[in-house]
Structures are given as C-alpha cells and as structure tokens.
Amino acid sequence: MNDMTPFTTTLKDWESDQEVRWCPGCGDYAILKAVQRTLPELGSNPSNTVFVSGIGCSSRFPYYMSSYGFHTIHGRAPAFATGIKLANPNLDVWLVTGDGDGMSIGGNHTMHMIRRNLNCQIMLFNNEIYGLTKGQYSPTSRTGTTSPTTPGGSVDRPMLPCAFALGAGARFIARGFDVSKNLPEVLKAAHRHQGAAFIEIFQNCIVYNKDVFEDFAAPKGAEARQLWLRNGEPMLFNGGTQGIALDIDALNLKVVDIVDGDWQAAGVIVHDVTNRSVAHMLVEMPFGPYPMALGVIYDDPRPTYETAVLEQDARMNEGKSANLAKLLAKGQTWTVEPTGPDL
C-alpha cells in the first residue's frame, strides 16, 4: 500500500537465491529487473510485499523475488490475491499473469478483480502466444498467426487487454514494454494508484513469437511509432512533428502534422488521465495508421474493495461480541441425551 513507511533496500535485496530460468533473451528478464529496480525507489518492504502468479512463463516470477509469493493455479491468481488482501489489507500485492493465464482461462477472475477494484498492481505480460505450452496461439495473437493450433493462421480477432480492463470497470490502465526505459515510471504510477492498477507489458517471446513487437518497440525510429502519454502534456510523437487530435465529425482520434511547433493550432489533445472516453479511443487505436499508445492511459481512483468490505464488517460488528457457543445454539437446536444400560 502507498501509505506504508518507506523502507530502505537495494536491487540486491529483492533478488532471491533461485536461479532465474527463462529462455535466453526472453523479455521476462528485463521486466524482472525493472521491478527489482523500482521497488527500492518506492520504499517497499520485502516482508510486506506479496507476488501472486498463476501458470505460464510469467508465473515463475515469485520465485525470483525475495519477498512473499504464491505460485497458484491456472487463471486463479486473482482469487488468491483477493483472499490475501482481505486477510491483511496492509500487504502490498502484485499480481503477475500472462495473456493466456489472465485473458483466457483466468479472464473471468481477472474481470471481477478489476470490477471489485481490489487494491493491487496487475502486471499482464502480453507476448501474444502461449509460451510455456510450446507456442499455441493465445487470445491476443494477431489474425494470421501460425501456431501448432492454427497451422493455417489464426482467424480470430485478437482481444485488447486494456480495452478488456476498461470494459470491466478499471480505474487505472497503462502500457509499457519489456526493455523500455520508461517501464519503471509506469510501475511507480500504478503503485501510487489506490485500487486495481492494470498494466499491460508487451513482452518478447524469443522462441515462439520472436520480435512480434519490433514494429513499435525497436529502438531505431521508435519516436515515430510510440506515443508516450503524460498527464497534462500534449499528445505528441515523432519528435514533436506529429500529434493526436480529436476528429469531431467521426468522434474518433486522428493523426495531425505540427507546423512550426504550434501543436495547439493543429488541435492536439492535452492528455487527461481522468478522461475515460479518450482512454477507450487510445487503447483501440490501430497500430500502423496510429502510433502505439504507451504510459499511463487512464487513472481515476475510487474506493477500493477491501476498504468497503472492512467498513461493512465494522458496522455489522458494532456493539456485538464474539460468542461461538451462542451462535451454535441459535435457532432450532436440540441435545441428545445418553440412554440405555451400556451408557
């Protein structure tokens, strides 16, 4: 939680004694280091921090963090995280999942954790493939993706995790990618948010879906393909020569060119993280005609689930005392008396 007393640690304090075992070159290594670098800057305490995962490559994460951790069952990490947070609301809970674990078998659990607004950070590693089970297509795989389960190419329309989260009622959504230098700042913003903070992290699967994000994540020419959003700042990219404006007629976003640095004349939108309508437009912008929207897209807190539950419990328990014997004797009860010569 964000109201904890800051605790002094270093990156090394967050590294466990377990050998990190992902495929060489996997983007999970970069995400792990980004998290381990970020936690000391947040003043987090390892003894008060919990990482919860389901099943998949990303779900090895808790083993590599020197903190509390739960490696749970496929798609059910949100249920465990909810129980942990209700049992001890002071714990700082991070949920680690993947596009298969969190959006397929666990989609229902993810949806309700977001809807309830449990105070935790949800890191969804999206590599658009099932990595651990050897490369089958996933709910986020692009149309045409060839895999053992789609040898002729996927005909499915891929789901958009951030659009899913917004539809489930998320009050915080953000995007980053594994090797981005900006990922720690996104994680910090998620941690500051009081409620369910959903972070989609594009992650390169070096074996089964190599370089699928190079179209926007490659360093060369990145400024022309990435729109890094910052609250209160204009939506500019490509070195400030282009921006995102609102197309009034189509009620949608459009790319505009900036002449002589005058972004206001071009109608460029100033990013407001509390604008839910624009957030929907940003997460659904098709890459190619548009840049990839990254950073904090939406951030508008509301009361958290565990706060409401605890307040309700306090009201219902007011003026009452715990008496198990009285509870058991309440209602229709009877006593069986011993009878017979042998008793």
Side-chain angles (χ1 to χ4, degrees):
M1 293 178 64
N2 301 335
D3 58 353
M4 294 184 298
T5 302
F7 195 83
T8 302
T9 59
T10 66
L11 181 151
K12 292 292 183 182
D13 293 317
W14 292 93
E15 295 178 339
S16 77
D17 60 358
Q18 300 297 300
E19 179 187 358
V20 182
R21 298 180 64 185
W22 284 305
C23 298
C26 175
D28 287 353
Y29 286 97
I31 301 172
L32 175 64
K33 284 302 176 187
V35 173
Q36 290 172 336
R37 287 197 307 269
T38 301
L39 291 170
E41 296 180 19
L42 292 173
S44 298
N45 185 342
S47 65
N48 207 57
T49 304
V50 186
F51 284 85
V52 188
S53 67
I55 296 296
C57 296
S58 64
S59 295
R60 301 179 66 85
F61 208 93
Y63 294 101
Y64 308 138
M65 298 299 300
S66 186
S67 67
Y68 289 105
F70 289 80
H71 187 181
T72 71
I73 51 182
H74 208 355
R76 273 61 177 181
F80 284 84
T82 301
I84 293 165
K85 197 70 179 178
L86 288 176
N88 187 349
N90 290 319
L91 292 175
D92 187 15
V93 176
W94 296 73
L95 191 141
V96 187
T97 186
D99 47 304
D101 182 61
M103 295 286 100
S104 184
I105 189 171
N108 185 51
H109 289 275
T110 304
M111 173 181 69
H112 291 297
M113 180 176 61
I114 292 171
R115 174 183 64 83
R116 287 169 169 157
N117 199 35
L118 187 77
N119 189 22
C120 65
Q121 295 74 235
I122 308 159
M123 298 189 295
L124 184 132
F125 297 8
N126 183 10
N127 56 19
E128 297 186 2
I129 207 77
Y130 277 101
L132 188 66
T133 52
K134 306 300 182 277
Q136 300 88 346
Y137 84 123
S138 84
T140 60
S141 295
R142 304 178 192 188
T143 303
T145 297
T146 57
S147 77
T149 46
T150 54
S154 170
V155 298
D156 290 6
R157 182 178 182 272
M159 71 181 302
L160 302 171
C162 283
F164 167 90
L166 276 173
R171 309 298 297 191
F172 180 102
I173 59 166
R175 277 190 186 140
F177 60 92
D178 46 16
V179 296
S180 170
K181 65 180 181 180
N182 295 324
L183 182 57
E185 293 306 314
V186 174
L187 297 174
K188 290 176 189 176
H191 191 264
R192 285 193 298 269
H193 178 85
Q194 291 293 299
F198 184 87
I199 316 120
E200 179 184 14
I201 305 175
F202 297 108
Q203 176 255 322
N204 185 30
C205 177
I206 197 74
V207 176
Y208 297 110
N209 214 14
K210 184 180 180 182
D211 297 336
V212 69
F213 302 117
E214 284 296 280
D215 48 5
F216 69 84
K220 186 176 181 180
E223 62 180 15
R225 303 186 301 268
Q226 298 175 10
L227 172 64
W228 281 99
L229 298 161
R230 293 174 177 83
N231 190 40
E233 297 185 12
M235 297 184 188
L236 300 174
F237 65 102
N238 203 9
T241 64
Q242 291 182 294
I244 300 295
L246 181 64
D247 186 337
I248 300 297
D249 295 329
L251 290 179
N252 209 339
L253 302 179
K254 62 180 179 180
V255 174
V256 294
D257 294 322
I258 311 299
V259 179
D260 297 329
D262 192 349
W263 57 267
Q264 291 172 308
V268 172
I269 300 172
V270 173
H271 186 41
D272 176 4
V273 292
T274 66
N275 191 319
R276 193 175 186 85
S277 297
V278 173
H280 275 284
M281 296 181 195
L282 287 167
V283 300
E284 295 181 352
M285 288 194 312
F287 179 76
Y290 297 85
M292 178 60 69
L294 299 164
V296 178
I297 298 171
Y298 181 64
D299 184 359
D300 190 14
R302 66 175 173 83
T304 65
Y305 177 66
E306 67 275 15
T307 299
V309 169
L310 292 173
E311 288 177 351
Q312 182 184 69
D313 286 349
R315 289 195 303 272
M316 295 181 70
N317 292 329
E318 189 173 352
K320 299 178 182 178
S321 59
N323 189 325
L324 182 59
K326 183 179 179 182
L327 177 64
L328 291 175
K330 184 179 180 181
Q332 295 181 346
T333 62
W334 62 92
T335 302
V336 177
E337 299 290 350
T339 60
D342 297 331
L343 301 175

